[in-house]
C-alpha cells in the first residue's frame, strides 16, 4: 500500500474541530456513524461530500456548486483550510498528470466532464501546465459519447483514448494478470488521478476505483471470471499503475445500484456526491456500502446474497497486495454536507 | 511463410483502430440467446458468457450492442499465410501440401504459454487487419494452389461465423477446410461449424482439470467431450499435447492421456507430443527436454497407440510415420517438410497394412 501517511485518529478529531470554518458557511464536516478506529496503523480517510442542491431546479449539475464541492472534498481529505494547498500536496509544477475517467456509460453515467474541468482548473492553479494534463479512457469515441471534447495538441488540456496512442508492446504482469498497459500511462503520466463513477457491476459486484483501471490495459475482457477476483487486485499491482496512483475522486453525482455497468436509467439515482480518498480499497468499501444502502431502499437483496459480493476487496487488502484497507474499523469516513 | 497482407487488401496493415471500426467486420453472432434487460448469453463456447449491453465476452471479439450480439471479426483477417500443412501439425492429412492459413484476433482461453498471444489475447481493434471476406479467401487459396484453407494461429472458435462461411466458399471452389482448435466449443456450434471441416486438430493441453484451470483458464471436460463428438462425426482428427516442464509432464498424466485416447478415440488417432518453448507468461520455464518427450512417446506406444509423434524437435526420428505392423518407415519428415512418402493407396507398400489418413488430394 502506498499512501501518504495519515495522522492518527486523535489528530483527525482535532482537524474536524479545526474545520469549524465550514460551519460558518452553513456546511458541516462530521465523522461517519459508528467509526471507531482501533487500528495501530493510521486509518484511511474517505471523504463523502454531498450537496443536495447540486442540480438547482433542473437535472443538470451546477458547475459552480460542483467546483465548491470538489474544494470542500479536497480540504476535508487533506485537512487544510485551502483547497489549493491540498492540490499542491498532490502534484508539483512540471509533473504530467493523467486523469483516468470512466466513459463506458455514455452521458447517462460517466465521469461528469464538469467535474473533470474543475479538477483541471485546480491542477493548473497548482502549477501543472494545461498541456501536461491528459484526460483519458480506453476509447476516444466513448469519451466523445460521454460528453468530453477531444483535444489533441495545441496549448490545452489533452483528451483522447488509448486507441490514439496504443498500448506498450511488452507485457506487464503481476499475479494472474499479464497485460499491455496504455502508453498514456507510460509515456504521458507522472501522477495518476483516478476519476471513476459509482456503479453496480454484474460480475464484480461494484465498479468504482480499482475496477476503473480495467480501462488502462489491452485485455480487460480476460479478467471478468470469478467475480474479477483476484484480477482487480492484481491489475492494480502492475508497476505502471501502482507507482503513479495518487488519488481517487469518485463522481457519485449520478450512481447506479443495479444492472451495471451499462447505463440503465431505472437503476440510477442522483446521489449528488463526491467520494475521495488516497486509499482506493477504503474508497471502494465505502462506495459499496452506499450502493448496498440504495439497494436495500429498493428492496433488493445484498450483493453477497446475489453471490456477487466484491470479494476482490479482501484480496486487494491482503498482505500480498496491501493496496489499502477494507476493514470499516480502519476507515475514517468523513461526511461533508454542503447546504 | 508467405505473407499475403497486400493481396488481401482494402485496409492497410497500419490501419488505425478507428479506420478498422467498419461495418464490414461486424455481423450478428450466430450462437447466442437474448435475455432480459438487453443482456445476452453466448452459446458458442463453454464459458457461456452473460454479457450486458455495450460489453464484450471473455474472448473480446463479441460485443453486445443494445441486446443484439455481434462478432467484430467477420472477414477481419489479422494473419494470412501459406504454410506447410505439417506446421499445424497435420501428419496424416494431405502431407506435403500447403494450407492457406487465416486468423482473426481473439481467443476464448488464456494459455500462459501462448506463442501467438499478441493476436490471441488482443481485441480486434488492437491488431492490424485486412478485409478478407470468405469468397476472397477461397479465391486466394485457389490462386495459391492450396488444397486447404486452415483456420489457425489464434482460436477459430471465436471467429466461427467467418469460418463457416469461408468453408462454404472454399468448398464451392473445390478447396477443403481444416481447423486447428482448442476444442473449447459447445455442442451445437461444434456440429454446425466443425461439421463443415474436413480435418480437425485439437490441442489437448493437459489431462488435468487443475492445469486447465490454472494454466489455460478453461476446463478439460468440455474438450474431451469435443474430441469424442468429433470422433463420432467421423472427422479426420489429430491431437497435440504440448509438454510443459513441471506442469503437465508426469508419467502418470501421459499414461492417463494415452489410455483415454485409446479408449475414446481409438489407437489410430495421431497423437503429437510437442516441445514447449518459453513464451508469454511462462518465461521462467526451460524448454522441454527431448528425453521427456521420448518418455511420453514410449508410454503412449506401450499403451498401444499406433501413431505417436514428437513435435518441435526438427530431425527427430519420431517425426516420421512408421507402419505399426512391419515397423518400416513410410513418411519421412524433416522439420515442417515431408521428404519422403511411401504410402500407396492408403497402405504400407511393404506389408499392405492400411494406414489411416487422407494421403492424396
Ligand atoms: S465465444 Fe467468447 S463470448 Fe462466447 S462464451 Fe466463449 S468467450 Fe464468451
Amino acid at each position: 500500500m502506498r499512501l501518504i501517511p495519515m495522522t492518527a485518529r486523535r489528530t483527525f478529531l482535532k482537524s474536524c474541530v479545526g474545520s469549524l470554518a465550514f460551519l460558518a458557511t452553513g456546511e458541516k464536516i462530521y465523522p461517519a456513524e459508528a467509526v471507531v478506529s482501533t487500528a495501530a496503523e493510521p486509518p484511511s480517510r474517505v471523504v463523502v461530500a454531498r450537496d443536495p442542491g447540486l442540480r438547482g431546479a433542473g437535472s443538470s449539475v451546477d458547475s459552480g456548486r460542483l467546483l465548491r464541492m470538489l474544494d470542500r472534498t479536497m480540504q476535508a481529505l487533506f485537512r487544510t483550510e485551502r483547497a489549493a494547498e491540498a492540490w499542491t500536496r498532490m502534484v508539483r509544477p512540471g509533473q504530467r498528470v493523467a486523469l483516468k475517467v470512466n466513459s463506458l456509460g455514455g452521458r447517462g453515467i460517466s465521469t461528469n466532464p464538469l467535474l473533470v474541468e474543475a479538477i483541471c482548473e485546480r491542477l493548473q492553479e497548482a502549477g501543472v501546465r494545461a498541456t501536461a494534463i491528459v484526460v483519458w479512457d480506453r476509447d476516444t469515441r466513448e469519451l466523445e459519447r460521454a460528453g468530453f471534447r477531444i483535444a489533441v495538441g495545441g496549448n490545452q488540456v489533452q483528451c483522447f483514448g488509448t486507441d490514439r496512442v496504443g498500448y506498450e508492446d511488452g507485457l506487464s504482469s503481476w499475479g494472474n494478470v499479464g497485460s499491455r498497459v496504455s502508453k498514456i500511462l507510460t509515456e504521458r503520466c507522472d501522477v495518476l488521478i483516478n476519476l471513476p463513477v459509482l456503479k453496480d457491476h454484474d460480475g464484480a459486484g461494484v465498479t468504482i476505483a480499482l475496477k476503473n483501471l480495467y480501462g488502462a490495459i489491452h485485455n480487460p475482457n480476460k479478467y471478468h471470471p470469478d467475480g474479477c477476483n483476484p484480477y482487480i487486485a492484481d491489475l492494480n499491482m502492475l508497476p505502471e499503475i501502482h507507482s503513479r496512483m495518487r488519488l481517487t475522486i469518485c463522481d457519485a453525482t449520478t450512481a447506479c445500484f443495479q444492472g451495471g455497468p451499462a447505463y440503465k436509467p431505472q437503476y440510477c439515482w442522483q446521489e449528488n456526491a463526491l467520494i475521495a480518498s488516497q486509499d482506493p480499497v477504503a474508497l471502494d468499501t465505502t462506495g459499496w456500502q452506499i450502493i448496498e444502502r440504495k439497494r436495500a431502499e429498493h428492496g433488493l437483496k445484498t450483493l453477497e446474497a446475489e453471490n456477487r459480493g466484491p470479494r476482490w476487496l479482501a484480496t486487494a487488502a491482503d498482505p500480498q497486495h496491501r493496496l489499502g484497507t477494507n476493514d470499516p474499523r480502519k476507515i475514517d469516513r468523513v461526511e461533508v454536507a454542503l447546504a | 511463410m508467405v505473407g499475403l497482407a497486400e493481396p488481401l487488401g482494402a485496409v492497410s496493415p497500419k490501419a488505425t483502430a478507428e479506420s478498422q471500426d467498419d461495418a464490414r467486420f461486424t455481423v450478428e453472432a450466430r450462437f447466442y440467446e437474448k435475455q432480459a434487460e438487453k443482456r445476452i448469453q453466448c452459446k458458442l463456447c463453454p464459458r457461456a458468457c452473460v454479457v450486458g449491453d455495450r460489453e464484450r465476452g471473455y474472448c473480446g471479439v463479441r460485443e453486445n450492442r443494445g441486446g443484439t450480439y455481434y462478432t467484430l471479426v467477420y472477414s477481419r483477417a489479422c494473419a494470412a499465410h501459406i504454410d506447410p500443412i505439417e506446421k499445424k501439425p497435420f501428419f496424416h492429412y494431405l502431407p506435403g501440401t500447403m494450407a492457406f492459413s487465416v486468423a482473426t484476433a481473439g481467443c476464448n482461453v488464456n494459455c500462459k504459454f501462448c506463442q501467438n498471444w499478441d493476436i490471441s489475447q488482443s481485441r480486434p481493434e488492437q491488431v492490424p487487419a485486412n478485409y478478407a471476406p470468405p469468397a476472397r479467401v477461397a479465391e486466394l487459396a485457389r490462386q495459391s494452389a492450396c488444397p486447404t484453407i486452415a483456420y489457425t494461429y489464434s482460436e477459430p472458435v471465436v471467429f466461427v461465423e467467418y469460418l463457416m462461411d469461408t468453408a462454404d466458399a472454399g468448398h464451392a471452389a473445390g478447396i477443403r477446410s481444416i481447423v486447428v482448435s482448442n476444442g473449447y466449443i459447445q455442442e451445437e456450434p461444434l456440429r454446425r461449424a466443425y461439421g463443415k471441416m474436413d480435418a480437425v486438430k485439437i490441442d489437448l493441453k493437459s489431462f488435468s482439470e487443475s492445469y486447465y484451470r490454472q494454466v489455460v483458464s478453461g476446463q478439460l471436460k468440455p474438450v474431451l467431450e469435443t474430441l469424442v463428438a468429433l470422433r463420432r462425426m467421423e472427422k479426420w482428427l489429430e491431437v497435440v499435447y504440448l509438454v510443459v516442464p513441471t506442469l503437465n509432464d508426469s508419467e502418470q498424466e501421459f499414461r492417463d492421456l494415452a489410455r483415454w485416447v485409446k479408449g475414446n478415440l481409438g489407437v489410430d488417432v495421431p497423437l503429437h507430443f510437442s516441445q514447449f518453448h518459453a513464451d508469454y507468461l511462462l518465461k521462467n520455464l526451460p524448454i522441454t527436454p527431448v528425453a521427456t518427450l521420448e518418455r511420453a512417446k514410449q508410454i503412449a506406444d506401450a499403451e498401444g497407440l499406433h501413431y505417436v509423434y514428437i513435435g518441435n524437435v526438427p530431425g527427430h526420428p519420431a517425426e516420421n510415420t512408421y507402419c505399426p505392423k512391419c515397423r518400416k518407415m513410410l513418411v519421412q519428415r524433416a522439420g515442417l517438410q515431408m521428404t519422403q512418402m511411401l504410402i500407396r493407396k492408403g497402405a504400407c507398400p511393404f506389408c499392405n497394412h492400411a494406414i489411416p489418413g487422407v494421403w492424396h488430394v
Side-chain angles (χ1 to χ4, degrees), chain A:
Chain A
M1 183 168 66
R2 182 203 44 71
L3 294 171
I4 292 177
M6 300 278 183
T7 51
R9 171 100 182 136
R10 198 175 304 139
T11 320
F12 157 69
L13 288 171
K14 216 167 87 187
S15 80
C16 287
V17 177
S19 301
L20 287 176
F22 295 126
L23 291 172
T25 59
E27 296 151 9
K28 296 176 289 183
I29 293 185
Y30 50 88
E33 323 75 1
V35 174
V36 181
S37 178
T38 56
E41 275 185 32
S44 290
R45 174 170 279 205
V46 178
V47 174
V48 182
R50 284 195 185 80
D51 180 0
L54 185 66
R55 295 167 199 262
S59 65
S60 56
V61 166
D62 178 312
S63 58
R65 292 191 77 113
L66 186 61
L67 180 63
R68 192 176 64 132
M69 184 158 66
L70 173 68
D71 285 346
R72 297 294 181 269
T73 304
M74 291 297 283
Q75 286 168 269
L77 185 62
F78 289 91
R79 300 175 172 87
T80 162
E81 295 288 329
R82 295 185 323 110
E85 193 190 328
W87 285 106
T88 55
R89 287 195 214 163
M90 260 306 86
V91 292
R92 288 194 306 276
Q95 284 188 313
R96 300 163 306 168
V97 181
L99 304 177
K100 169 67 179 71
V101 300
N102 187 304
S103 57
L104 181 76
R107 283 178 193 265
I109 187 158
S110 292
T111 311
N112 193 321
L114 292 176
L115 172 65
V116 178
E117 230 170 73
I119 291 169
C120 290
E121 201 178 312
R122 291 298 184 243
L123 284 169
Q124 288 173 74
E125 286 165 9
V128 179
R129 281 177 298 113
T131 51
I133 302 171
V134 56
V135 178
W136 66 291
D137 202 352
R138 186 177 58 188
D139 188 84
T140 305
R141 284 155 306 177
E142 279 181 2
L143 283 165
E144 275 178 312
R145 277 199 288 265
F148 289 93
R149 194 177 60 78
I150 303 308
V152 182
N155 192 25
Q156 58 188 332
V157 170
Q158 305 292 290
C159 178
F160 51 85
T162 298
D163 56 312
R164 289 289 176 100
V165 290
Y167 297 87
E168 286 294 327
D169 289 338
L171 276 176
S172 182
S173 70
W174 204 99
N176 288 277
V177 163
S179 296
R180 295 161 60 202
V181 175
S182 169
K183 285 186 179 168
I184 293 175
L185 261 185
T186 55
E187 294 179 355
R188 293 166 181 257
C189 166
D190 303 309
V191 172
L192 174 60
I193 298 178
N194 193 10
L195 305 178
V197 286
L198 180 66
K199 290 201 288 188
D200 170 89
H201 190 282
D202 52 7
V206 297
T207 169
I208 315 172
L210 294 169
K211 173 77 171 57
N212 195 34
L213 273 304
Y214 272 42
I217 52 168
H218 85 294
N219 56 350
N221 42 295
K222 294 292 173 185
Y223 304 132
H224 285 93
D226 303 321
C228 303
N229 187 33
Y231 306 109
I232 291 178
D234 287 356
L235 169 65
N236 279 270
M237 294 300 288
L238 294 183
E240 294 84 350
I241 294 171
H242 194 232
S243 65
R244 291 170 172 85
M245 182 62 74
R246 294 283 189 283
L247 172 69
T248 303
I249 302 174
C250 170
D251 177 356
T253 54
T254 299
C256 158
F257 60 89
Q258 167 79 346
Y263 176 55
K264 300 209 176 79
Q266 68 272 33
Y267 298 131
C268 290
W269 86 100
Q270 294 177 349
E271 179 73 1
N272 296 323
L274 296 179
I275 311 170
S277 182
Q278 290 190 279
D279 177 340
V281 185
L283 189 149
D284 281 356
T285 303
T286 305
W288 174 25
Q289 290 168 347
I290 293 171
I291 287 174
E292 290 289 15
R293 184 203 74 207
K294 202 69 188 176
R295 291 177 64 80
E297 281 173 28
H298 284 263
L300 292 170
K301 284 188 202 163
T302 64
L303 294 173
E304 298 278 18
E306 284 193 359
N307 201 25
R308 56 188 185 99
R311 284 172 291 122
W312 45 268
L313 275 169
T315 309
D318 74 16
Q320 284 72 47
H321 296 81
R322 293 183 180 277
L323 287 162
T325 181
N326 68 330
D327 180 348
R329 292 166 307 171
K330 295 179 184 169
I331 298 173
D332 270 334
R333 178 165 157 176
V334 179
E335 303 254 349
V336 178
L338 285 92

Side-chain angles (χ1 to χ4, degrees), chain B residues 15-29:
Chain B
T16 63
E18 276 140 317
S19 68
Q20 285 190 46
D21 182 25
D22 191 320
R24 290 175 301 180
F25 300 134
T26 306
V27 304
E28 186 172 354

Side-chain angles (χ1 to χ4, degrees), chain B residues 262-314:
Chain B
K262 183 179 175 184
N264 293 275
L265 308 179
V267 293
D268 285 335
V269 167
L271 175 61
H272 306 248
F273 287 107
S274 287
Q275 188 175 51
F276 159 88
H277 295 259
D279 212 324
Y280 189 35
L281 299 172
L282 281 186
K283 288 206 173 122
N284 55 330
L285 291 179
I287 195 167
T288 321
V290 173
T292 306
L293 298 166
E294 288 170 341
R295 183 71 190 126
K297 176 172 163 51
Q298 265 174 12
I299 290 169
D301 285 342
E303 290 298 329
L305 299 189
H306 286 168
Y307 304 100
V308 183
Y309 297 100
I310 288 179
N312 291 349
V313 186

